[in-house]
Amino acid sequence: MNRDFVLKGTSPHGFLSGGGEMGERIRTFDWSASPLGPPEAWPAALQVSVGLMLNHGFPILIMWGPDLIELYNDPYSKLLGPEQHPRMLGAPALKIWAEIWHEIGGQIDSVMRGEGATFDQNRKISFEREGQRREMWWTYSYAPIESNGTVGGVFVISSEVTEVHRARIALHDQAQALERLFEHAPSFIAVLDGRDHVFRVTNAAYRRLLRDRNVLGLPVRTAIPEAEEQGFLKLLDDVYASGVSQTRQRMPLKLGEGADGERRVFVDLVYQPIVDADGAISGVFVEGSDVTSHVESEEFVRLANLEMKHRGKNILTLVNVIAARTFGTDDRLRLFQDRIRAFDKAHDLLTNREETSADIRSVLEAALGPHMGPETRINLSGPLVPLDFRQTVALSLAAYELASNATKYGALSNDRGRVEVSWRWTGLAAATSFELSWRETGGPPVVPPERTGFGSTILTRVLGPDFGGTVDLSYDPAGLSLILNVPAMGPIQPDRSPVA
């Protein structure tokens, strides 16, 4: 049986037809001086292989005979530099590939000895191209061409995959960089697979949260059994079933007995469904932060505020007792105690809210409360503006003094007068000029005071400096007015939300 390499249905006649540029070069090449001799005398296996090569769209090289004379097609010529193409046509392989023969020669010899085909994928082979030695990666196959029962040559299918290799390396490097970011992220992260929420991966922060409890490959119900009765598992089930992410803040979590005993932590977390390319939910992405220290700090501040409030009230009570023994029961005592109560209300605004700032409207409503009944003649208008501690106390005392004065001598001393209290931002920047005004109308004619009392001192020497601004106090006969102007509110930023 003829064992020549013959493609079924292919005739050896006319095997040099077509083939583009390399087909023309092979047809016009002077083969008389070559060990191959004229093409019409070539073995049938070689003729068929060359015909197949010239009409193939993949890069193909043929090495034939003891000298491994080379023939190749147009796609293969595109892989070569000027050092090889076109001089390698009809040349011995060793002459062309001497610089890399130590890498490929053994494989070629193995094929020629009849030991079968070889295949290499993504192999680095560097050689000179366009005057420079370049690192390149190749995927190629060396297959025997049998002729009359022996191996007559080598059929080479080759492809340069340098760009693919570099892209794969870049992708691998990128994946490793993302893994490092994932691993060292400050928030805890986990990826859960399937409806049983099996741990596929966790990062260092997640492992720290669980004190290095071994959870990989385990469902949440098994890995963290105490989480089920605390609602975490139901939350995961809801996210997996609905595809809707869930967010929780300061959620308490009791972790069971371990080397350090039972612990209670607080977490901010997000459960995000993982959606595959086909739209199916395959798992849940978990991300969050251990906020235990923040919660504990806030609890400490809350308790400290309560203690401070308690001690403050004890001090104010003691001051009232001392004042009663000093002033007796005259009007000076009543006035002093009213001012102490105004200060106490301002203090309560902050300690009751457990915050470091109070809204300006709340401050004014607390200070003016006794004068603002159902038929109030005091109108408040302005945006939401947070005040710090000093500003809160200063405005409370100032509002109390203004309301007391209006009740005795001004707009609130009759049944017709009114007080308009308004505040506004007077620029576009976030911390720009701020203005607050107190205007009285409809009261008896205003007469400037003959002396500077406590109230005037509060208005001119406390209110302005504590706000970082100036106070303009006018005793117009038509009604007293005060304008507080602050060039900038400092660290307190305005809230420009509309007032309901």
Side-chain angles (χ1 to χ4, degrees):
M1 178 178 177
N2 190 343
R3 299 180 63 196
D4 284 357
F5 184 98
V6 179
L7 186 66
K8 185 176 181 180
T10 301
S11 170
H13 303 292
F15 70 95
L16 292 181
S17 60
E21 177 190 346
M22 288 310 301
E24 181 63 22
R25 287 184 179 275
I26 293 174
R27 286 190 292 272
T28 58
F29 189 83
D30 182 9
W31 293 103
S32 61
S34 168
L36 297 186
E40 59 270 19
W42 291 353
L46 178 58
Q47 291 182 350
V48 172
S49 298
V50 171
L52 177 64
M53 175 191 74
L54 291 177
N55 292 283
H56 204 290
F58 213 80
I60 296 177
L61 165 72
I62 292 174
M63 293 179 278
W64 186 265
D67 295 320
L68 299 172
I69 303 300
E70 299 193 310
L71 305 97
Y72 53 98
N73 63 1
D74 279 351
Y76 194 90
S77 70
K78 302 298 189 297
L79 304 178
L80 305 172
E83 296 82 3
Q84 292 86 25
H85 175 70
R87 74 181 184 92
M88 67 180 280
L89 179 62
L94 182 57
K95 178 180 178 181
I96 300 299
W97 304 113
E99 62 176 324
I100 61 170
W101 198 255
H102 63 284
E103 294 190 51
I104 65 173
Q107 292 176 301
I108 295 171
D109 291 342
S110 172
V111 173
M112 291 298 292
R113 288 195 300 268
E115 296 175 4
T118 67
F119 177 76
D120 275 273
Q121 187 172 18
N122 201 39
R123 180 176 177 181
K124 179 182 175 182
I125 300 179
S126 304
F127 56 85
E128 190 169 312
R129 178 184 281 182
E130 298 177 352
Q132 295 182 346
R133 188 168 186 82
R134 299 185 180 181
E135 290 186 345
M136 291 173 281
W137 281 261
W138 301 83
T139 293
Y140 59 92
S141 171
Y142 291 156
I145 304 175
E146 295 188 1
S147 178
N148 297 322
T150 62
V151 177
V154 180
F155 194 84
V156 182
I157 299 178
S158 182
S159 176
E160 184 187 352
V161 293
T162 302
E163 293 305 317
V164 174
H165 171 81
R166 288 174 177 167
R168 185 183 296 113
I169 293 298
L171 185 62
H172 178 264
D173 291 345
Q174 184 181 32
Q176 285 194 323
L178 290 175
E179 287 179 5
R180 288 193 294 271
L181 289 174
F182 179 95
E183 174 65 12
H184 300 294
S187 57
F188 60 76
I189 301 174
V191 177
L192 310 178
D193 285 338
R195 64 179 64 255
D196 291 330
H197 318 301
V198 176
F199 282 97
R200 173 152 54 100
V201 64
T202 61
N203 73 341
Y206 198 98
R207 295 192 292 274
R208 285 195 300 270
L209 178 70
L210 298 181
R211 300 282 173 87
D212 292 322
R213 187 184 302 189
N214 184 21
V215 299
L216 291 183
L218 300 176
V220 171
R221 180 177 281 106
T222 302
I224 317 175
E226 61 269 42
E228 183 171 6
E229 63 183 23
Q230 299 177 64
F232 288 87
L233 200 59
K234 182 181 184 304
L235 200 58
L236 284 169
D237 289 339
D238 290 344
V239 172
Y240 188 88
S242 67
V244 178
S245 63
Q246 293 283 352
T247 302
R248 294 292 185 273
Q249 291 184 325
R250 300 168 186 244
M251 193 168 180
L253 169 63
K254 287 184 179 179
L255 294 171
E257 292 288 342
D260 301 319
E262 186 177 83
R263 295 186 297 132
R264 189 187 190 206
V265 297
F266 293 86
V267 294
D268 290 349
L269 59 83
V270 177
Y271 286 163
Q272 182 74 31
I274 300 172
V275 182
D276 289 342
D278 60 0
I281 296 174
S282 63
V284 178
F285 179 82
V286 179
E287 188 273 335
S289 300
D290 182 351
V291 295
T292 306
S293 60
H294 298 294
V295 174
E296 291 175 346
S297 296
E298 288 174 358
E299 178 64 11
F300 175 80
V301 170
R302 187 185 71 83
L303 294 175
N305 276 341
L306 291 176
E307 178 65 17
M308 181 177 67
K309 179 180 179 180
H310 175 70
R311 293 189 180 187
K313 287 187 177 296
N314 287 343
I315 292 173
L316 292 178
T317 299
L318 180 60
V319 169
N320 273 325
V321 171
I322 294 173
R325 293 182 178 180
T326 302
F327 297 122
T329 58
D330 61 13
D331 290 342
R332 291 179 300 169
L333 174 62
R334 181 185 58 77
L335 182 61
F336 178 81
Q337 289 175 333
D338 286 345
R339 286 168 174 162
I340 288 293
R341 279 192 289 272
F343 179 86
D344 191 30
K345 287 182 179 179
H347 189 263
D348 283 347
L349 271 175
L350 296 173
T351 54
N352 288 343
R353 291 160 57 94
E354 300 176 11
E355 298 175 2
T356 59
S357 66
D359 175 61
I360 189 170
R361 178 179 289 272
S362 301
V363 173
L364 289 169
E365 287 176 346
L368 302 175
H371 308 280
M372 296 178 66
E375 303 296 329
T376 180
R377 289 181 285 151
I378 302 177
N379 182 55
L380 306 179
S381 63
L384 298 175
V385 178
L387 304 180
D388 64 20
F389 182 83
R390 290 180 60 189
Q391 292 166 339
T392 297
V393 173
L395 184 58
S396 294
L397 294 176
Y400 167 78
E401 294 297 333
L402 287 167
S404 297
N405 183 76
T407 301
K408 291 179 180 180
Y409 313 110
L412 301 182
S413 65
N414 60 24
D415 58 0
R416 299 183 307 277
R418 297 190 61 83
V419 176
E420 292 288 336
V421 185
S422 63
W423 58 94
R424 64 192 179 109
W425 297 100
T426 59
L428 297 178
T432 185
S433 297
F434 172 78
E435 181 183 279
L436 178 142
S437 68
W438 173 289
R439 298 184 186 276
E440 298 181 21
T441 58
V446 174
V447 178
E450 296 181 356
R451 64 181 181 85
T452 301
F454 179 79
S456 297
T457 301
I458 289 292
L459 297 177
T460 58
R461 298 185 183 180
V462 176
L463 181 62
D466 281 0
F467 270 81
T470 59
V471 171
D472 180 16
L473 186 61
S474 173
Y475 295 96
D476 188 277
L480 181 142
S481 69
L482 175 143
I483 297 178
L484 167 66
N485 185 272
V486 186
M489 287 293 282
I492 304 296
Q493 299 295 317
D495 183 341
R496 300 187 180 278
S497 305
V499 177

